[in-house]
Amino acid sequence: MTPTSTPVSPPAAPARTPIPRGAVLLALALAATAATLVAGIGLGTRDISATEIVRILLHPGGEAYNSHVLWTERIPRTFLGLLVGAALGASGLVMQALTLNPLSDPGILGVQQGAALFVVLGILHLGVATPQGYFWMALVGSAVSAALVHLIGTRTNAGSSTVGLVLAGVALAAVMSSLVTLMVVRDKEVYAHLRSWSVGQLTGRASLLDEVLPFLVAGLLLALPLGRSLNILALGEETARGLGVHVERARLTAAAVAVLLCAAATAGIGPVAFVGLVGAHCARMLVGPDHRWSLPLSMAVGAVLLTGADTLGRLVLDRGEVQVGVMTALFGTPFFVWLARRRDLVRM
């Protein structure tokens, strides 16, 4: 009797590891950022064709007017917008994670008000009247206000260091805003200078790219590794300590990075509202509460939002342009109202 041979089945193909959803969304966000970069360089009150842009980029240093527009204004302005938008998006997400308040904005720790106060003091007593001077005064003011908030907030009896920081930030911001108003209403010249800085804008700020670049790049690089610690902090203080995390040190580090990002962004282009709020929530709605993915995604969303708003602001009027701070407010205010009404979307 001939033994029957058992058929040998072919080896199973190795299972493919699915690509994480966060990686796919992040790749799409980076593609959108690149598209926004191209639009920011090419579009404006003066239309420049794509072939002309490529020619200028390949042969820099030309004497033509279009070459001057691109290299001295649009290119640095667009890169400044991308960096500032990314900084505000990351700062907003970190602030919301630290304060456990999903409606927080990067200005919650009094950073923007401190910047405005020192700009006014610089105009009054130091004769500051240039964008570079505004930048350094605002940067120092942001750092001083953040240090005061931390000093006061960690010594309150609010029951939680997080609540103490929020209360200290709100109180100090109100005091500094009142001081700014008191000084500005008594001097028309100071008001005129402050108005040119306090309206968030990229117009005329392209020359600040070199000065703001080190702070923004350093802040973004320091923010990227914070995703894991923010995830652990979200589990609660007791759980985080049980996992070996020094809670106070982790919170202080994250807050310092968020303040650095917000301070450099505010000093560079003035206060811009809603970018941090919208960027953080869009990232969280897309990839969920995992900060390892939502943090870099919030950077990309913030960069697209700010630079896209700036580009659109150049196109809505036949002559002149609408400042980016106004454009972000036009889009951000309805988003904030919608977000506040959707309780399921404001959960941390």
Side-chain angles (χ1 to χ4, degrees), residues 220-242:
L220 292 172
L221 292 177
L222 290 172
L224 284 173
L226 293 178
R228 179 178 176 275
S229 61
L230 291 177
N231 284 344
I232 297 176
L233 289 175
L235 300 175
E237 292 188 12
E238 294 184 2
T239 304
R241 287 193 175 94

Side-chain angles (χ1 to χ4, degrees), residues 300-328:
V301 174
V304 170
L305 177 62
L306 186 69
T307 310
D310 178 59
T311 304
L312 186 61
R314 301 181 221 163
L315 304 175
V316 294
L317 299 178
D318 291 335
R319 295 182 180 180
E321 61 182 77
V322 180
Q323 306 302 337
V324 68
V326 178
M327 295 298 297
T328 57

Side-chain angles (χ1 to χ4, degrees), residues 105-130:
D105 199 63
I108 193 171
L109 296 184
V111 173
Q112 295 180 348
Q113 291 79 8
L117 177 61
F118 270 66
V119 168
V120 172
L121 292 175
I123 295 170
L124 275 174
H125 303 292
L126 300 177
V128 174
T130 63

Side-chain angles (χ1 to χ4, degrees), residues 175-195:
V175 172
M176 290 186 292
S177 295
S178 300
L179 291 175
V180 169
T181 302
L182 179 64
M183 290 185 289
V184 166
V185 297
R186 300 177 62 179
D187 194 317
K188 294 182 178 179
E189 184 178 354
V190 173
Y191 172 73
H193 283 287
L194 181 65
R195 183 178 60 180

Side-chain angles (χ1 to χ4, degrees), residues 1-283:
M1 183 174 182
T2 305
T4 58
S5 59
T6 305
V8 179
S9 59
R16 293 184 179 181
T17 303
I19 300 176
R21 183 186 179 201
V24 176
L25 290 172
L26 185 58
L28 293 175
L30 292 176
T33 304
T36 307
L37 171 64
V38 174
I41 294 175
L43 300 178
T45 54
R46 180 182 179 87
D47 292 330
I48 304 177
S49 65
T51 55
E52 178 72 3
I53 292 174
V54 172
R55 187 191 65 79
I56 293 173
L57 293 177
L58 293 177
H59 303 88
E63 298 296 330
Y65 182 72
N66 285 342
S67 178
H68 176 77
V69 169
L70 283 186
W71 287 111
T72 63
E73 179 60 27
R74 285 194 189 174
I75 291 176
R77 172 176 177 164
T78 303
F79 276 103
L80 180 62
L82 290 174
L83 287 171
V84 169
L88 291 176
S91 180
L93 188 72
V94 174
M95 289 291 185
Q96 290 177 15
L98 290 177
T99 61
L100 302 179
N101 183 352
L103 299 180
S104 293
D105 199 63
I108 193 171
L109 296 184
V111 173
Q112 295 180 348
Q113 291 79 8
L117 177 61
F118 270 66
V119 168
V120 172
L121 292 175
I123 295 170
L124 275 174
H125 303 292
L126 300 177
V128 174
T130 63
Q132 286 76 13
Y134 299 152
F135 170 78
W136 290 108
M137 294 304 300
L139 193 64
V140 173
S142 300
V144 170
S145 63
L148 286 175
V149 168
H150 179 264
L151 185 66
I152 298 171
T154 53
R155 285 164 173 76
T156 60
N157 295 321
S160 168
S161 58
T162 298
V163 177
L165 288 174
V166 174
L167 293 177
V170 172
L172 196 62
V175 172
M176 290 186 292
S177 295
S178 300
L179 291 175
V180 169
T181 302
L182 179 64
M183 290 185 289
V184 166
V185 297
R186 300 177 62 179
D187 194 317
K188 294 182 178 179
E189 184 178 354
V190 173
Y191 172 73
H193 283 287
L194 181 65
R195 183 178 60 180
S196 69
W197 175 82
S198 62
V199 178
Q201 59 181 328
L202 287 166
T203 308
R205 305 291 173 88
S207 59
L208 290 177
L209 180 60
D210 292 338
E211 301 196 40
V212 76
L213 184 64
F215 298 98
L216 292 178
V217 171
L220 292 172
L221 292 177
L222 290 172
L224 284 173
L226 293 178
R228 179 178 176 275
S229 61
L230 291 177
N231 284 344
I232 297 176
L233 289 175
L235 300 175
E237 292 188 12
E238 294 184 2
T239 304
R241 287 193 175 94
L243 293 173
V245 174
H246 193 293
V247 175
E248 288 74 17
R249 184 186 304 163
R251 281 180 175 165
L252 180 60
T253 301
V257 172
V259 167
L260 172 62
L261 290 170
C262 183
T266 303
I269 69 171
V272 176
F274 296 112
V275 175
L277 177 76
V278 176
H281 272 285
C282 287

